[in-house]
Each structure stands twice: as C-alpha cells, then as structure tokens.
Amino acid sequence: MVAELKKVTVSNMQEYLNLDSDMDAEILQDLIDMAQEDIRNAVDLNIPLEFYQQYPVFNQAVRTMVDFTYYNRGELGEQKIGYPPSYHYMVNGIRWRVRREFANENGNTPTKP
C-alpha cells in the first residue's frame, strides 16, 4: 500500500498558508471539507475518505484547492479558471490508481464514478 502521509488538517493548512492566527480556522475546515468532497466526486464517492487520505497526491490536491479558494475568496466570480491546473493534474493522476487499489483490496473490479 501507499506510504501514509498525514491528512490535511486546519493546523497543518495554517502552516502551509503561513497564517499566524486561528481566526479563519472554521473557514479553513469548510474549505478542506469542500476540497476533499470535490475530489471524491471526481473519482468515486463509494471509496471512503480515509482511503484517499493515504495518498500524498490526494492530500496535496486538497492543499492546492484550499490555497486557491482561500486566497481568491470574493473574487472567484471574476476568475477565468474555476480550478488551478495543478489541481486537475493531481486529481486525474490519482483517479484510476485509487479506484484500482481500492477494488484490489476489496476483491472487486474498479467502478465508474
């Protein structure tokens, strides 16, 4: 299995974003939840979040999306792109791998989203 990497939390997201206070902790948690759910929607909702969190690329995609939405709050309507290109790259990079490895661990064949 994939080497475990710590999942994205408010605390390590604050460090990633170089924030000095807990003022936006609730906003960050909402953005983390949204990014995780967005990736699961793109890959396969039948796979538990905990399985995704084992993949470093999943966690980096979450951080990338949180960073993008945190620093572009209030301006997303004016953005020419809805998602950062690196986010799409990471999600596409894990899509089939996560499905295949989850199916293999559960004795099934990969499913479509």
Side-chain angles (χ1 to χ4, degrees), residues 4-89:
E4 189 159 338
L5 181 74
K6 71 182 161 170
K7 66 181 186 173
V8 179
T9 64
V10 169
S11 176
N12 61 37
M13 199 65 226
Q14 288 170 320
E15 185 178 322
Y16 182 85
L17 296 171
N18 201 25
L19 301 177
D20 294 331
S21 75
D22 288 339
M23 197 166 83
D24 288 341
E26 189 174 323
I27 291 169
L28 288 175
Q29 185 61 61
D30 289 344
L31 294 176
I32 291 167
D33 295 343
M34 179 272 313
Q36 291 172 335
E37 199 62 20
D38 188 59
I39 297 169
R40 289 185 65 228
N41 280 326
V43 177
D44 190 333
L45 282 171
N46 296 312
I47 299 172
L49 175 61
E50 294 77 20
F51 190 83
Y52 286 93
Q53 290 172 327
Q54 299 174 74
Y55 293 86
V57 174
F58 171 81
N59 294 310
Q60 185 56 42
V62 170
R63 283 189 285 274
T64 299
M65 191 60 175
V66 171
D67 183 327
F68 180 78
T69 52
Y70 181 80
Y71 283 119
N72 290 296
R73 292 175 295 159
E75 298 177 20
L76 289 174
E78 298 172 18
Q79 295 286 326
K80 293 188 192 293
I81 58 170
Y83 296 95
S86 59
Y87 174 78
H88 282 295
Y89 176 80

